[in-house]
């Protein structure tokens, strides 16, 4: 399962070993125990990756083999590729841009996407220093 946590200024992508159903059930129980409202709805999420990252071709091949209904890659311009995912959006309902997006796809595709995202973060950190 992939979990994308969106905050006001950024997002973080994690690869979790729990099933989507287990994770959502735990989140519902937590919200009930702390008295927080929780909204769950089908949605899409998108983010950008540098187009020159190694491994994008392997990710694209994995998507074509297993996950065309869940994930798409499209070129934005010469520098960036847009990753679009289908899944579920969880939030407290007060801020549209803050919440958690979860999705599940083949283990191979999840692994590649998480690895490529980590490489993009490392490159961005190196450039900002």
């Amino acid at each position: 399962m992939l979990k994308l946590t969106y905050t006001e200024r950024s997002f973080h992508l994690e690869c979790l070993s729990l099933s989507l159903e287990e994770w959502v059930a735990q989140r519902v129980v937590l919200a009930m125990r702390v008295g927080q409202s929780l909204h769950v709805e089908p949605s899409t999420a998108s983010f950008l990756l540098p187009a020159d990252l190694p491994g994008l071709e392997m990710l694209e091949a994995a998507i074509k083999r297993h996950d065309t209904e869940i994930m798409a890659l499209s070129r934005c311009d010469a520098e960036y590729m847009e990753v679009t995912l289908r899944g579920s959006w969880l939030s407290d309902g007060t801020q549209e841009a803050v919440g958690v997006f979860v999705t599940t796809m083949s283990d191979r595709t999840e692994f590649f996407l998480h690895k490529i995202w980590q490489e993009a973060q490392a490159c961005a950190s190196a450039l900002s220093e």
Side-chain angles (χ1 to χ4, degrees), residues 16 21 34-35 38 42 47 49 62 64 71 76 85 87 93 112 117 128:
L16 303 177
E21 294 79 10
V34 299
L38 181 66
F47 60 93
L49 290 173
K64 287 178 183 175
M71 183 176 168
C76 294
L85 301 167
F112 280 138
W117 179 80
S128 67

Side-chain angles (χ1 to χ4, degrees), residues 36-122:
Q36 180 184 40
S37 83
L38 181 66
H39 297 265
V40 180
E41 61 184 296
S43 186
T44 59
S46 298
F47 60 93
L48 299 178
L49 290 173
D52 61 352
L53 278 174
L56 278 176
E57 304 82 25
M58 290 174 59
L59 177 63
E60 212 163 6
I63 293 167
K64 287 178 183 175
R65 276 192 304 273
H66 304 289
D67 299 300
T68 56
E69 297 296 316
I70 300 166
M71 183 176 168
L73 282 177
S74 46
R75 183 165 291 281
C76 294
D77 56 28
E79 295 181 28
Y80 291 99
M81 296 288 286
E82 181 180 36
V83 177
T84 304
L85 301 167
R86 295 183 201 276
S88 298
W89 177 251
L90 290 84
S91 71
D92 65 4
T94 59
Q95 295 184 18
E96 289 292 321
V98 175
V100 176
F101 178 85
V102 290
T103 190
T104 188
M105 59 188 79
S106 72
D107 292 342
R108 182 179 179 102
T109 306
E110 286 179 4
F111 171 79
F112 280 138
L113 181 57
H114 187 244
K115 182 179 178 199
I116 288 171
W117 179 80
Q118 287 177 320
E119 290 174 14
Q121 298 307 299

Side-chain angles (χ1 to χ4, degrees), residues 11-50:
F11 83 98
H12 182 78
L13 185 130
E14 294 176 78
C15 199
L16 303 177
S17 59
L18 288 174
S19 74
L20 183 66
E21 294 79 10
E22 289 173 306
W23 187 86
V24 171
Q26 288 178 2
R27 189 70 177 223
V28 167
V29 169
L30 176 65
M32 287 173 44
R33 287 184 180 162
V34 299
Q36 180 184 40
S37 83
L38 181 66
H39 297 265
V40 180
E41 61 184 296
S43 186
T44 59
S46 298
F47 60 93
L48 299 178
L49 290 173

